[in-house]
PDB file of all heavy atoms in Angstrom:
ATOM      1  N   GLY A 110     -12.016  10.220  39.695  1.00 46.00           N
ATOM      2  CA  GLY A 110     -12.976  10.647  38.699  1.00 46.00           C
ATOM      3  C   GLY A 110     -13.175   9.571  37.655  1.00 46.00           C
ATOM      4  O   GLY A 110     -12.320   8.775  37.414  1.00 46.00           O
ATOM      5  N   THR A 111     -14.312   9.580  37.019  1.00 42.00           N
ATOM      6  CA  THR A 111     -14.575   8.657  35.914  1.00 42.00           C
ATOM      7  C   THR A 111     -15.137   9.457  34.748  1.00 42.00           C
ATOM      8  O   THR A 111     -15.864  10.413  34.905  1.00 42.00           O
ATOM      9  CB  THR A 111     -15.598   7.574  36.285  1.00 42.00           C
ATOM     10  OG1 THR A 111     -16.816   8.193  36.612  1.00 42.00           O
ATOM     11  CG2 THR A 111     -15.115   6.769  37.488  1.00 42.00           C
ATOM     12  N   ARG A 112     -14.728   9.037  33.566  1.00 40.00           N
ATOM     13  CA  ARG A 112     -15.277   9.659  32.378  1.00 40.00           C
ATOM     14  C   ARG A 112     -15.430   8.529  31.336  1.00 40.00           C
ATOM     15  O   ARG A 112     -14.612   8.364  30.471  1.00 40.00           O
ATOM     16  CB  ARG A 112     -14.310  10.749  31.862  1.00 40.00           C
ATOM     17  CG  ARG A 112     -14.937  11.628  30.781  1.00 40.00           C
ATOM     18  CD  ARG A 112     -14.027  12.804  30.351  1.00 40.00           C
ATOM     19  NE  ARG A 112     -12.895  12.299  29.602  1.00 40.00           N
ATOM     20  CZ  ARG A 112     -11.652  12.456  30.031  1.00 40.00           C
ATOM     21  NH1 ARG A 112     -11.408  12.967  31.208  1.00 40.00           N
ATOM     22  NH2 ARG A 112     -10.643  12.030  29.307  1.00 40.00           N
ATOM     23  N   PRO A 113     -16.505   7.741  31.444  1.00 40.00           N
ATOM     24  CA  PRO A 113     -16.693   6.579  30.591  1.00 40.00           C
ATOM     25  C   PRO A 113     -16.705   6.956  29.115  1.00 40.00           C
ATOM     26  O   PRO A 113     -16.305   6.142  28.274  1.00 40.00           O
ATOM     27  CB  PRO A 113     -18.045   6.018  31.036  1.00 40.00           C
ATOM     28  CG  PRO A 113     -18.281   6.580  32.411  1.00 40.00           C
ATOM     29  CD  PRO A 113     -17.594   7.899  32.429  1.00 40.00           C
ATOM     30  N   ASP A 114     -17.160   8.152  28.779  1.00 40.00           N
ATOM     31  CA  ASP A 114     -17.216   8.546  27.375  1.00 40.00           C
ATOM     32  C   ASP A 114     -15.976   9.363  27.047  1.00 40.00           C
ATOM     33  O   ASP A 114     -15.754  10.443  27.614  1.00 40.00           O
ATOM     34  CB  ASP A 114     -18.467   9.373  27.073  1.00 40.00           C
ATOM     35  CG  ASP A 114     -19.720   8.589  27.358  1.00 40.00           C
ATOM     36  OD1 ASP A 114     -19.757   7.390  26.993  1.00 40.00           O
ATOM     37  OD2 ASP A 114     -20.697   9.139  27.929  1.00 40.00           O
ATOM     38  N   ILE A 115     -15.119   8.841  26.167  1.00 37.00           N
ATOM     39  CA  ILE A 115     -13.883   9.515  25.806  1.00 37.00           C
ATOM     40  C   ILE A 115     -14.182  10.814  25.059  1.00 37.00           C
ATOM     41  O   ILE A 115     -15.036  10.842  24.171  1.00 37.00           O
ATOM     42  CB  ILE A 115     -13.005   8.583  24.935  1.00 37.00           C
ATOM     43  CG1 ILE A 115     -12.848   7.229  25.600  1.00 37.00           C
ATOM     44  CG2 ILE A 115     -11.661   9.210  24.667  1.00 37.00           C
ATOM     45  CD1 ILE A 115     -12.272   7.298  26.988  1.00 37.00           C
ATOM     46  N   ASP A 116     -13.477  11.876  25.396  1.00 39.00           N
ATOM     47  CA  ASP A 116     -13.741  13.147  24.739  1.00 39.00           C
ATOM     48  C   ASP A 116     -13.141  13.160  23.349  1.00 39.00           C
ATOM     49  O   ASP A 116     -12.396  12.299  22.945  1.00 39.00           O
ATOM     50  CB  ASP A 116     -13.235  14.340  25.598  1.00 39.00           C
ATOM     51  CG  ASP A 116     -11.744  14.304  25.824  1.00 39.00           C
ATOM     52  OD1 ASP A 116     -11.003  13.847  24.931  1.00 39.00           O
ATOM     53  OD2 ASP A 116     -11.320  14.720  26.934  1.00 39.00           O
ATOM     54  N   ALA A 117     -13.405  14.225  22.609  1.00 35.00           N
ATOM     55  CA  ALA A 117     -13.015  14.265  21.201  1.00 35.00           C
ATOM     56  C   ALA A 117     -11.506  14.242  21.024  1.00 35.00           C
ATOM     57  O   ALA A 117     -10.995  13.607  20.120  1.00 35.00           O
ATOM     58  CB  ALA A 117     -13.583  15.525  20.571  1.00 35.00           C
ATOM     59  N   ASP A 118     -10.759  14.906  21.926  1.00 39.00           N
ATOM     60  CA  ASP A 118      -9.288  14.963  21.767  1.00 39.00           C
ATOM     61  C   ASP A 118      -8.647  13.615  21.991  1.00 39.00           C
ATOM     62  O   ASP A 118      -7.613  13.337  21.436  1.00 39.00           O
ATOM     63  CB  ASP A 118      -8.700  15.990  22.735  1.00 39.00           C
ATOM     64  CG  ASP A 118      -9.081  17.410  22.346  1.00 39.00           C
ATOM     65  OD1 ASP A 118      -9.371  17.623  21.166  1.00 39.00           O
ATOM     66  OD2 ASP A 118      -9.103  18.291  23.244  1.00 39.00           O
ATOM     67  N   SER A 119      -9.236  12.794  22.895  1.00 39.00           N
ATOM     68  CA  SER A 119      -8.609  11.538  23.214  1.00 39.00           C
ATOM     69  C   SER A 119      -9.308  10.353  22.546  1.00 39.00           C
ATOM     70  O   SER A 119      -8.987   9.198  22.774  1.00 39.00           O
ATOM     71  CB  SER A 119      -8.583  11.308  24.737  1.00 39.00           C
ATOM     72  OG  SER A 119      -9.910  11.279  25.238  1.00 39.00           O
ATOM     73  N   ALA A 120     -10.319  10.640  21.761  1.00 41.00           N
ATOM     74  CA  ALA A 120     -11.082   9.575  21.103  1.00 41.00           C
ATOM     75  C   ALA A 120     -10.205   8.778  20.160  1.00 41.00           C
ATOM     76  O   ALA A 120      -9.395   9.326  19.436  1.00 41.00           O
ATOM     77  CB  ALA A 120     -12.277  10.186  20.321  1.00 41.00           C
ATOM     78  N   PRO A 121     -10.351   7.451  20.170  1.00 44.00           N
ATOM     79  CA  PRO A 121      -9.550   6.600  19.320  1.00 44.00           C
ATOM     80  C   PRO A 121      -9.933   6.734  17.854  1.00 44.00           C
ATOM     81  O   PRO A 121     -11.059   7.136  17.516  1.00 44.00           O
ATOM     82  CB  PRO A 121      -9.837   5.203  19.836  1.00 44.00           C
ATOM     83  CG  PRO A 121     -11.207   5.313  20.443  1.00 44.00           C
ATOM     84  CD  PRO A 121     -11.285   6.666  20.973  1.00 44.00           C
ATOM     85  N   HIS A 122      -9.010   6.453  16.990  1.00 42.00           N
ATOM     86  CA  HIS A 122      -9.258   6.542  15.561  1.00 42.00           C
ATOM     87  C   HIS A 122      -8.869   5.221  14.890  1.00 42.00           C
ATOM     88  O   HIS A 122      -8.115   4.419  15.414  1.00 42.00           O
ATOM     89  CB  HIS A 122      -8.441   7.692  14.969  1.00 42.00           C
ATOM     90  CG  HIS A 122      -8.745   9.009  15.585  1.00 42.00           C
ATOM     91  ND1 HIS A 122      -9.858   9.762  15.266  1.00 42.00           N
ATOM     92  CD2 HIS A 122      -8.089   9.731  16.555  1.00 42.00           C
ATOM     93  CE1 HIS A 122      -9.867  10.895  15.954  1.00 42.00           C
ATOM     94  NE2 HIS A 122      -8.803  10.874  16.756  1.00 42.00           N
ATOM     95  N   GLY A 123      -9.363   5.023  13.693  1.00 45.00           N
ATOM     96  CA  GLY A 123      -8.981   3.910  12.858  1.00 45.00           C
ATOM     97  C   GLY A 123      -9.254   2.563  13.523  1.00 45.00           C
ATOM     98  O   GLY A 123     -10.347   2.296  14.001  1.00 45.00           O
ATOM     99  N   ALA A 124      -8.194   1.701  13.495  1.00 53.00           N
ATOM    100  CA  ALA A 124      -8.339   0.335  14.044  1.00 53.00           C
ATOM    101  C   ALA A 124      -8.726   0.351  15.488  1.00 53.00           C
ATOM    102  O   ALA A 124      -9.497  -0.493  15.973  1.00 53.00           O
ATOM    103  CB  ALA A 124      -7.028  -0.425  13.829  1.00 53.00           C
ATOM    104  N   GLU A 125      -8.217   1.305  16.257  1.00 65.00           N
ATOM    105  CA  GLU A 125      -8.531   1.382  17.671  1.00 65.00           C
ATOM    106  C   GLU A 125     -10.011   1.671  17.880  1.00 65.00           C
ATOM    107  O   GLU A 125     -10.655   1.097  18.749  1.00 65.00           O
ATOM    108  CB  GLU A 125      -7.679   2.447  18.372  1.00 65.00           C
ATOM    109  CG  GLU A 125      -7.714   2.360  19.870  1.00 65.00           C
ATOM    110  CD  GLU A 125      -6.764   3.381  20.497  1.00 65.00           C
ATOM    111  OE1 GLU A 125      -6.667   4.461  20.011  1.00 65.00           O
ATOM    112  OE2 GLU A 125      -6.135   3.019  21.531  1.00 65.00           O
TER     113      GLU A 125
END
Side-chain angles (χ1 to χ4, degrees):
T111 62
R112 191 176 71 245
D114 298 319
I115 308 303
D116 61 35
D118 290 336
S119 61
H122 301 282
E125 193 175 39

